[in-house]
Amino acid sequence: MLKSKYYILSFIIVLLAASSCSTTRRIDSDEMLYTGVKSIIYPKNDSTESSVKSVVSEAVNVKPNKYTITPSIRIPIGLWVYNNWNPNSSGIKKWLYNKLVEEPVLVSDVRPEIRTKMIEDALADNGYFRATSSFTLNQGKNKKKASITYNVVPGPAYKLDSIILLPDTCRLYHIIDSVAKKDSYLQKGQRYCTDSLTIARNRITNSVRNKGYYYFKPEYIQYLADSIQHRQHIAIKLDISSSTPSDALNEYKTGKVTIITRRYEGGGTPDTIQTRRGTLIQMKPSKLRVEMIPECVSFKTGRTFTVRQMDRTHTRLSRLGIFSAISMDIQQDTLAATPTLDVLIDCTFDSPLETSIEIGASYKSNNYIGPGATFSVTNKNLFGGGEQLSVALNGSYEWQIGSGSSSLLNSYEIGLNSSLAFPRLIAPKFIPRKNKNLNWTRFALNADLLNRPHYFKMAKFDASVSYDWYPSKYSSSSFTPLKFSYTKLIHTTEAFEEIIKENKAIEQSFRSQYIPQVMYSYNYSRAIDKDNTINFNVSVQEAGNIFWGIYEVCGSKGEKTLFGTPFSQFVKGSVQLVYDRRLMGSHHLVTRIATGAAHAYGNSSQVPYSEQFYVGGANSVRAFTVRSVGPGSYHVDKETANGYFDQTGTFKFEFNTEYRFPIYGPLGGALFLDTGNIWLLKDDPDRPGGKLTGSRFFKDLAVGTGCGLRFDIGMIVVRGDLGVGIHAPYDTGKSGYYNMRSFGKSLAFHLAIGYPF
């Protein structure tokens, strides 16, 4: 044993020595291999800001040759190949040479004497005008290798002193001065920084261009600096460049506005129509609701021309979803008495029909496999006003494979969903909304058939009308004043009849009933900065209260029915928060917390089955399949292993965290941790352990981890996740927190479209 360890140790020493010598064999005697920046040394008690030190680090950040990293050995494979392999070899060796070879990075390539000048320039740009820097080469036993140490003495930082504005002699100067006075950087005491001055100049320019000065550019504003008046302070004076063209000094009004809509097929006969926002030239035949175009155009003839109007018009036309190309041409009207700009908006219709197909699948080690698919067709311009008619057919199928499998266990779900959406609110004007965003009115009609073999077959139909609008820049709202649903048990088996006969709670949740609902949801999504994004969603809904109130006023007592069938009465709410933290580059840590509750009362003793919560699956706790966990610590008997009907609850909690990282090109990876469960808010003796209790809350959380791959091509993300169970909330026959029966039986694979959250 000792002898084998001796041989291994000897081999490692020889390999290290060989790699050390062989990586510099082809380097000229007057050259040195660059091994990286050893350190950047600042004086003791240095007060240089960390952001400035980051700029200095970037100035000297030259990567040395790549090393292959093992637990105990670092070998520059590409450099070793360059020094020891023949570049004129053939066959597989030639292929390997081209794949692995890496030319040496030399100290002369890095040019440290130039880097020190770059350090001083970077510090000067950030207010450290007296900075000096030098470098030292660090050589070890091998004199052909060297790292670099940079010594930096920044000196004191210069602050802004007085800010001298332009003379208030014209409207342009007045606008520039008013913006500069309020600018967060152009204030006395700020550290001098050329980047910050540039950003402030851009902010001033944007404001000026939105006041009618279309041709004004940032470079027309000059900063004159004076560092003599006060020690370590700089006085800044704003000035307008003498090379500024006269066009940039003119305030422009909007002249003629012309909108051209071209056919998707090209060609056509022009038809000219005068609208309240300009001249519309429509190439016919084509579908177009004429009034829709003026609603999207922000320009008004005779009003001040602004860049904001350009952006807003382009955004509104784009969000209609009916144009494949939108261009805007701005030209001066040389014949006008005052400075005037004419606007030409050129739009080309997109293909009105769009089809899509989504395919998903899940597989669990207990031999249940389930594929699913959704096929949809959308007409994006049904009546010529951006109206969208969508029809989607979705279905899923699950069967058991392996020994003991039977076709009688096969289950399926099939649905037909249709919606007609109008890009405007067909609603009272009191609903607050931002005109710069499209607001939608949607009508939907859906049907769904759910078959659970050995138990039941259930159909659900619903119709709804909803309004979607944007009350602010970062928020959106959706209000459904009416969603009318009807659920009906088409068929039940004797086994299911026995179960619901013994469990009244399940019987009530599965009964045929109407569900008249009112719903509202609010979403807030915002990128706080370049590294942090939050998304918050809350939704509330009620069912049956309006009908119940009408019946009560009319004197009806007892259970109330609609067309001879009882209607459901309950309230339901859910909240979700997603936080996306960018760690570095394309590495993200995304965390989600979600909870929800539902409560039945009045005309109902139980929340309908279709409105109850469940966990598990591709977008939930991914170590468990859909509806295979809960409520609470309750677990379905082995005899009813396919009994999905009672794997639901009236309270839900989920927590997920996922680390997403790039692998190569559009391929990315993920490591995740999921936890969650559902519970009952009312006690059910037939489902022991299902009620929510504080003492068992954490013990009842199902926990799983896993990894996944994401193929992200922008418009679509194909995702595969392999979940591994850690803790099941029910009795598995094993003690301890890790209580999975076996590693193999704790695996669950999900194939899906899109990110889980």
Side-chain angles (χ1 to χ4, degrees):
M1 186 70 175
L2 289 173
K3 191 174 182 180
S4 63
K5 288 185 176 180
Y6 171 78
Y7 284 135
I8 294 172
L9 181 60
S10 299
F11 173 75
I12 292 173
I13 293 173
V14 171
L15 185 61
L16 285 169
S19 64
S20 176
C21 296
S22 60
T23 55
T24 57
R25 185 171 59 84
R26 291 180 57 187
I27 295 177
D28 294 338
S29 58
D30 59 342
E31 293 283 5
M32 286 180 284
L33 180 69
Y34 170 71
T35 59
V37 176
K38 182 178 181 180
S39 61
I40 302 175
I41 300 175
Y42 291 87
K44 290 183 178 179
N45 302 321
D46 179 67
S47 59
T48 306
E49 295 180 19
S50 58
S51 60
V52 178
K53 288 183 177 181
S54 297
V55 174
V56 172
S57 297
E58 291 177 7
V60 298
N61 185 24
V62 180
K63 298 295 184 184
N65 289 99
K66 297 177 183 177
Y67 278 73
T68 298
I69 302 175
T70 66
S72 58
I73 306 173
R74 298 177 73 247
I75 303 175
I77 294 294
L79 196 55
W80 186 88
V81 169
Y82 172 83
N83 280 275
N84 295 278
W85 281 19
N86 184 0
N88 298 320
S89 55
S90 59
I92 189 170
K93 193 171 182 180
K94 175 69 173 178
W95 181 82
L96 284 172
Y97 179 87
N98 293 333
K99 288 292 182 182
L100 299 175
V101 70
E102 184 179 7
E103 293 190 6
V105 179
L106 305 175
V107 171
S108 60
D109 297 328
V110 177
R111 304 178 71 182
E113 66 282 356
I114 300 298
R115 298 287 163 183
T116 57
K117 181 64 169 62
M118 293 172 62
I119 291 174
E120 293 171 3
D121 290 343
L123 288 169
D125 288 341
N126 283 275
Y128 297 87
F129 292 106
R130 299 178 183 176
T132 60
S133 64
S134 60
F135 71 93
T136 304
L137 296 180
N138 308 295
Q139 293 174 290
K141 293 181 180 180
N142 188 344
K143 299 304 180 182
K144 286 189 176 183
K145 289 184 177 182
S147 62
I148 302 176
T149 296
Y150 292 96
N151 297 279
V152 182
V153 182
Y158 279 62
K159 306 285 187 179
L160 295 187
D161 193 10
S162 57
I163 311 296
I164 304 173
L165 303 177
L166 295 168
D168 193 0
T169 57
C170 63
R171 174 173 161 76
L172 174 61
Y173 288 9
H174 179 78
I175 295 172
I176 293 175
D177 288 350
S178 61
V179 177
K181 286 178 182 178
K182 300 176 182 177
D183 191 89
S184 59
Y185 177 73
L186 295 176
Q187 305 296 325
K188 185 176 181 178
Q190 293 279 14
R191 176 175 52 81
Y192 178 89
C193 176
T194 55
D195 286 344
S196 297
L197 287 171
T198 299
I199 293 172
R201 185 167 61 178
N202 290 336
R203 284 195 289 257
I204 294 172
T205 301
N206 290 336
S207 181
V208 166
R209 297 188 73 204
N210 280 314
K211 299 292 186 180
Y213 297 87
Y214 174 71
Y215 292 106
F216 198 85
K217 296 180 180 180
E219 54 265 32
Y220 299 154
I221 297 177
Q222 292 183 335
Y223 293 116
L224 303 179
D226 182 1
S227 59
I228 299 176
Q229 295 183 16
H230 297 91
R231 187 172 179 270
Q232 296 179 15
H233 283 77
I234 295 179
I236 295 292
K237 180 181 179 182
L238 270 65
D239 198 6
I240 299 297
S241 172
S242 59
S243 61
T244 303
S246 59
D247 289 345
L249 303 177
N250 291 331
E251 178 187 358
Y252 289 89
K253 302 294 184 181
T254 302
K256 293 182 294 183
V257 179
T258 306
I259 308 101
I260 302 176
T261 59
R262 303 184 187 275
R263 301 171 70 239
Y264 165 70
E265 306 88 346
T269 304
D271 181 28
T272 303
I273 305 170
Q274 292 297 327
T275 73
R276 56 188 173 89
R277 289 295 175 92
T279 302
L280 172 63
I281 302 176
Q282 179 185 359
M283 304 303 291
K284 290 193 171 183
S286 61
K287 279 187 177 181
L288 179 66
R289 188 175 69 87
V290 174
E291 186 57 31
M292 178 191 65
I293 298 297
E295 291 174 357
C296 295
V297 176
S298 296
F299 300 104
K300 292 183 179 180
T301 300
R303 299 284 184 89
T304 300
F305 183 95
T306 71
V307 176
R308 188 180 295 112
Q309 292 169 344
M310 295 177 59
D311 297 338
R312 191 173 296 171
T313 299
H314 194 282
T315 299
R316 289 178 179 175
L317 291 170
S318 298
R319 287 181 175 173
L320 288 174
I322 63 176
F323 298 117
S324 61
I326 302 170
S327 63
M328 207 171 294
D329 187 29
I330 310 300
Q331 295 290 338
Q332 289 192 52
D333 184 354
T334 56
L335 300 179
T338 58
T340 303
L341 296 177
D342 294 336
V343 182
L344 174 63
I345 305 170
D346 199 318
C347 307
T348 302
F349 279 105
D350 195 3
S351 173
L353 292 179
E354 181 178 89
T355 60
S356 67
I357 184 168
E358 295 182 5
I359 299 175
S362 65
Y363 171 73
K364 201 172 192 310
S365 55
N366 61 3
N367 294 329
Y368 280 94
I369 188 169
T374 300
F375 176 75
S376 63
V377 178
T378 302
N379 187 315
K380 297 181 291 185
N381 192 26
L382 184 64
F383 304 124
E387 300 85 3
Q388 296 185 3
L389 175 64
S390 299
V391 179
L393 178 66
N394 59 77
S396 61
Y397 192 76
E398 185 178 81
W399 67 90
Q400 187 180 37
I401 61 176
S403 59
S405 61
S406 170
S407 62
L408 293 175
L409 293 177
N410 296 351
S411 62
Y412 62 85
E413 183 174 1
I414 187 170
L416 182 65
N417 304 317
S418 61
S419 68
L420 177 60
F422 296 83
R424 52 193 175 277
L425 289 186
I426 308 175
K429 296 293 184 181
F430 64 82
I431 294 181
R433 62 264 199 178
K434 292 290 184 180
N435 290 329
K436 66 180 180 180
N437 293 312
L438 282 181
N439 306 291
W440 292 88
T441 301
R442 305 180 191 275
F443 299 91
L445 186 63
N446 307 314
D448 190 77
L449 179 64
L450 176 65
N451 180 60
R452 296 296 183 225
H454 284 185
Y455 296 106
F456 66 88
K457 182 182 293 185
M458 184 172 67
K460 180 182 179 182
F461 307 91
D462 65 67
S464 65
V465 56
S466 61
Y467 303 105
D468 301 333
W469 72 96
Y470 296 84
S472 69
K473 181 179 179 181
Y474 303 107
S475 62
S476 61
S477 293
S478 179
F479 175 57
T480 303
L482 178 62
K483 181 180 179 182
F484 200 77
S485 304
Y486 175 64
T487 59
K488 180 174 179 60
L489 273 174
I490 299 175
H491 171 73
T492 58
T493 63
E494 292 183 4
F496 183 71
E497 291 290 346
E498 285 293 322
I499 292 173
I500 63 175
K501 187 177 180 180
E502 298 175 0
N503 193 318
K504 294 298 181 183
I506 295 177
E507 180 184 17
Q508 287 294 314
S509 66
F510 271 85
R511 68 176 181 172
S512 298
Q513 58 191 313
Y514 289 104
I515 310 175
Q517 298 182 66
V518 178
M519 308 166 67
Y520 173 77
S521 66
Y522 173 82
N523 183 268
Y524 181 87
S525 182
R526 182 177 183 181
I528 302 174
D529 51 42
K530 65 178 182 178
D531 295 327
N532 298 278
T533 303
I534 61 170
N535 182 280
F536 174 74
N537 180 270
V538 58
S539 64
V540 293
Q541 61 189 91
E542 67 83 25
N545 291 298
I546 297 176
F547 283 86
W548 184 88
I550 294 174
Y551 277 66
E552 283 290 307
V553 170
C554 296
S556 176
K557 302 298 180 182
E559 185 179 63
K560 301 166 179 57
T561 62
L562 188 65
F563 306 118
T565 301
F567 61 84
S568 183
Q569 189 174 3
F570 65 89
V571 291
K572 179 180 178 182
S574 60
V575 179
Q576 175 177 282
L577 176 65
V578 178
Y579 172 58
D580 185 340
R581 167 70 178 177
R582 188 178 73 90
L583 303 176
M584 58 179 178
S586 298
H587 296 251
H588 291 256
L589 183 65
V590 187
T591 304
R592 173 180 70 168
I593 184 170
T595 186
H599 176 66
Y601 56 95
N603 211 45
S604 301
S605 59
Q606 296 294 328
V607 177
Y609 170 75
S610 60
E611 296 293 339
Q612 294 189 23
F613 301 104
Y614 59 86
V615 295
N619 300 318
S620 182
V621 186
R622 283 163 280 186
F624 300 86
T625 52
V626 177
R627 297 185 179 91
S628 64
V629 179
S633 60
Y634 172 74
H635 189 52
V636 183
D637 296 334
K638 292 182 179 179
E639 291 75 16
T640 58
N642 199 39
Y644 290 99
F645 57 87
D646 60 348
Q647 299 292 99
T648 58
T650 50
F651 184 87
K652 180 182 81 167
F653 176 83
E654 283 187 53
F655 178 83
N656 314 79
T657 185
E658 180 171 290
Y659 168 51
R660 299 171 185 169
F661 53 90
I663 297 178
Y664 182 78
L667 184 64
L671 300 174
F672 56 82
L673 177 69
D674 302 326
T675 182
N677 204 343
I678 46 99
W679 291 265
L680 302 173
L681 294 179
K682 297 179 180 179
D683 193 23
D684 184 356
D686 296 303
R687 286 184 283 181
K691 187 178 179 181
L692 177 66
T693 59
S695 60
R696 284 199 53 86
F697 179 80
F698 291 103
K699 293 181 181 179
D700 286 349
L701 291 175
V703 181
T705 186
C707 59
L709 293 175
R710 286 93 173 87
F711 189 75
D712 187 349
I713 57 175
M715 296 183 64
I716 188 172
V717 177
V718 181
R719 169 170 57 95
D721 286 330
L722 179 64
V724 183
I726 295 177
H727 175 73
Y730 46 84
D731 182 12
T732 64
K734 286 199 170 187
S735 59
Y737 190 78
Y738 178 79
N739 62 350
M740 308 308 295
R741 292 189 178 94
S742 68
F743 179 78
K745 292 183 178 180
S746 69
L747 299 176
F749 177 73
H750 304 279
L751 182 65
I753 302 294
Y755 289 104
F757 45 86

